[in-house]
Amino acid sequence: MNAPTLGKPLDRVDGPLKVSGQARYAAEYPADDLLHGSVICSVIARGRITRIDASAAEALPGVKRVLSHESRPPMAQDDESYEDDDAADGSPFRPLFNARVRYSGQPVALVVADSLELARHAASLVRIEYQQQPHATDLLQVLDSAHAAPAELPERRGDADAIIAGAPLRLELEYELPNEYHHPMEPHASTVIFQADGSLLVHDKTQGPQNSQQYLASVLKLDPARVRILSSFVGGAFGSGLRPQYQLPLAAMAALTLQQSVRVTLTRQQMFTFGYRPRTVQRLQLGAAADGRLQGLVHEVIGQTSRFEDFTEHVAEWSGMLYHCDHLRLAYRLAPLDVYTPLDMRAPGAATGLFALESAMDELAWAAGVDPVQLRLTNYAETNQNEGKPYSSKELRACYQQGADAFGWSKRSPQPRSMRVGDQLIGYGMATGVWEAMQMPASARATLTADGRLIVASATCDIGPGTATVMTQIAADTLGMDPARVEFRLGDSSLPKAPLQGGSFTVSSVGSAVREACLALAEQLCDAARQLPGAPFSDASALRFAGGRVQQGEDTERSVDLDTLLARHGSLEAEVQAQPGKLRERYASATHSAVFVEVQVDEALGTVRVTRVVSAIAAGRVINAKTARSQILGGVVWGIGMALHEEAMIDHELGRCMNHNLADYHLPVHADIGDIEVIFVDEDDPIVNPLGSKGVGEIGIVGVAAAVANAVYHATGKRIRQLPITLDKLL
């Protein structure tokens, strides 16, 4: 029998393809007579197109077409809805729909030519005239015009305002976060291969092949059966591929118009012309007893959105569940601007809301004269008060303990500016992280081939966390097979239905479907064994499949091996849909973390360096310790970038992002990152799903920015409530 594979640090099954350059991404697939498209983007933030002169471009040999709202193929009308699993409330933007300009950077034309170089040159020759209208892109200037967000907030508890007014300790705080952009390594691209029968085979950068399929079919009025989306490899996404981006319909429109294959790849600058983590202003009021015990809490959020859609996140809800507080009021409003709609970005809402909440809890700890870890233990929530439910599991106390021990938190000198090495002020900070542990309906198909290989398939994709590897482990473990004999197929809209890859629910959702499909196969094998002439069973009702054979209970002597069964029956196949279990409806489920950070701040220069991080995670059963650790490492790095580097600089006179490249849009590099230790706390959860897994994709970033900011305060005595923390703010 093969050793269990769950929890083992199995190497990535697609690793050799990636490191050898054999893995192909959306813009790397060849096609006969492939054309290339170059997108022209609006230079104004609001108004109308009055004239498009493409004559100079179209006169160039090799330029096939200039598509605009005046020359595009038919598209679904404004009032016709279409399928998009991550759409915001409102009227979704559709490229080249009409002459209206809604935001700076909006795609207004597509030049299609024999080569990318020619297409880009021709695009520079297209002349577009606009009628410009006044625009607004600064959230701080429109706060008073914000309206209630179409989001379900937990009902208020008690009378938070009155309780806070009479509390021994009262804090009123405001925090601000800028726009941030996803910037995966692979820019968004679509290669649309026009088939002889008029159907489309599309290689798309997406977090949901079936979502892209439904989008194209609906918007361009196509039969879904004639659109197939492939996304075998995705070079990162972080939420940017949850909604189909505009290169997909543009490439498809060009292919349908010219009846020829077309590729459209966005430039790095154009990666700043769609979704992003929205700028927010958060106001918190905390009322507490002298020992820091929360008595009342108010968390009010104003976030930006576009004028045509209301984008919402779960920003404030965490304040109602992470700590026990009987008097609570949450509010969430949106301010429409002449910008594109924001989009989910790693740990959407939680990374934003927890920065404010965990910074405020640190400020409360200082006000009460209580150690920040002790303050969190004092306010520990045994239940989720938002839902009025107990947790399926919660080992957050162990996260605090193990994280603090590994970090050396007890060595912290309590007073700000009291720790230094030479010219460097030393600061310790910590924060809590939380993310909902979700499960979505998902399907999978498992096939045992005649030669004894197991092929499992689902229409999920892999944006980098190691999905194919983990699903291979789940399938191999369920049937007791060698992972080398298992193949997981994904990234194809024609495969069994799967949800978008996001929200840290892929393993719990698709993994549960893979497990159930393999269990169904095991049952078929047992049925086949019962029918086998001369089978060595005395009790055929006690058969089970394990270790590559059907055996009677634990009796390996009374068994039939897999090869014998397959020789008689040929291949076997099972397809199932997995649903969240009814039992979990009675519980709240969440992943938790405790993040500890050490910073060094140069007293003369104001520069900040994160020298050490310890992140202790309680995420149920960790399926692959290696890939899970990598997810947390990436999240911590991003959290450091969020705290110290990332900020979209908007010129509000132009309504445009000015640092729209990776030289001026600052991100952490290797030299910015010190030691990172990841601890996975043991957490058994038989309720959340049969695998006991909660997911780790989002939790790694949550709380990191707050922990860094809290450490900066401990080092300097200066509280920075506006991210990123740059030297000008410290000095």
Side-chain angles (χ1 to χ4, degrees), residues 355-689:
F355 167 69
L357 175 63
E358 287 303 285
S359 296
M361 290 297 287
D362 194 69
E363 298 202 43
L364 178 61
W366 288 104
V370 176
D371 179 272
V373 176
Q374 182 55 51
L375 181 85
R376 286 160 173 80
L377 292 171
T378 297
N379 291 287
Y380 196 85
E382 299 292 349
T383 63
N384 183 328
Q385 287 183 280
N386 286 347
E387 301 180 26
K389 296 177 181 179
Y391 284 98
S392 58
S393 63
K394 185 180 180 182
E395 292 294 341
L396 179 55
R397 281 196 179 92
C399 291
Y400 290 138
Q401 183 66 55
Q402 294 181 33
D405 289 347
F407 183 80
W409 183 259
S410 62
K411 299 175 184 177
R412 166 183 174 272
S413 173
Q415 287 304 115
R417 301 183 65 87
S418 61
M419 299 171 63
R420 68 170 62 232
V421 175
D423 294 333
Q424 302 295 312
L425 295 167
I426 307 299
Y428 286 4
M430 62 82 55
T432 310
V434 62
W435 182 258
E436 185 181 4
M438 297 174 280
Q439 182 182 350
M440 304 296 177
S443 299
R445 179 170 61 243
T447 305
L448 271 170
T449 64
D451 61 355
R453 291 182 302 116
L454 175 61
I455 299 173
V456 187
S458 180
T460 187
C461 59
D462 188 346
I463 62 174
T467 304
T469 307
V470 172
M471 298 304 162
T472 297
Q473 287 180 264
I474 293 170
D477 192 86
T478 304
L479 289 179
M481 294 180 65
D482 182 348
R485 300 184 72 184
V486 179
E487 177 187 351
F488 183 68
R489 295 177 180 173
L490 76 172
D492 185 339
S493 62
S494 68
L495 296 177
K497 187 172 177 61
L500 293 166
Q501 178 160 74
S504 295
F505 52 66
T506 297
V507 170
S508 60
S509 305
V510 179
S512 294
V514 167
R515 176 182 176 275
E516 289 190 22
C518 291
L519 289 175
L521 265 188
E523 189 59 38
Q524 289 186 35
L525 288 167
C526 290
D527 288 341
R530 292 185 185 100
Q531 301 165 25
L532 201 64
F537 308 126
S538 59
D539 182 5
S541 65
L543 300 188
R544 67 187 188 93
F545 186 83
R549 66 174 70 88
V550 174
Q551 64 188 47
Q552 182 176 303
E554 300 297 327
D555 189 351
T556 57
E557 297 298 321
R558 295 182 179 274
S559 65
V560 177
D561 63 51
L562 178 62
D563 292 339
T564 301
L565 291 170
L566 292 176
R568 178 177 176 84
H569 287 274
S571 63
L572 297 172
E573 185 172 284
E575 183 172 330
V576 301
Q577 182 182 60
Q579 300 277 357
K582 290 292 184 182
L583 179 60
R584 66 171 286 159
E585 294 177 3
R586 306 205 300 263
Y587 296 87
S589 296
T591 304
H592 291 91
S593 68
V595 186
F596 296 83
V597 168
E598 178 188 82
V599 299
Q600 290 185 2
V601 183
D602 189 295
E603 192 168 18
L605 300 178
T607 54
V608 181
R609 173 170 164 75
V610 176
T611 49
R612 289 192 302 130
V613 179
V614 173
S615 181
I617 312 289
R621 187 183 202 176
V622 176
I623 304 298
N624 185 313
K626 181 182 293 186
T627 56
R629 177 177 178 272
S630 293
Q631 285 294 288
I632 303 304
L633 292 177
V636 168
V637 170
W638 198 334
I640 293 171
M642 183 179 181
L644 302 178
H645 303 276
E646 286 197 61
E647 180 180 17
M649 307 296 291
I650 310 298
D651 183 330
H652 296 298
E653 291 296 318
L654 299 173
R656 184 183 312 160
C657 181
M658 302 306 290
N659 57 335
H660 60 318
N661 56 72
L662 294 186
D664 299 319
Y665 183 87
H666 293 166
L667 298 166
V669 297
H670 281 90
D672 296 309
I673 305 301
D675 294 331
I676 302 174
E677 180 178 353
V678 179
I679 299 170
F680 287 114
V681 172
D682 289 339
E683 186 176 59
D684 181 41
D685 194 331
I687 295 168
V688 66
N689 55 64

Side-chain angles (χ1 to χ4, degrees), residues 335-350:
L337 293 167
D338 297 301
V339 296
Y340 189 74
T341 310
L343 179 60
D344 288 339
M345 184 171 175
R346 196 172 195 169

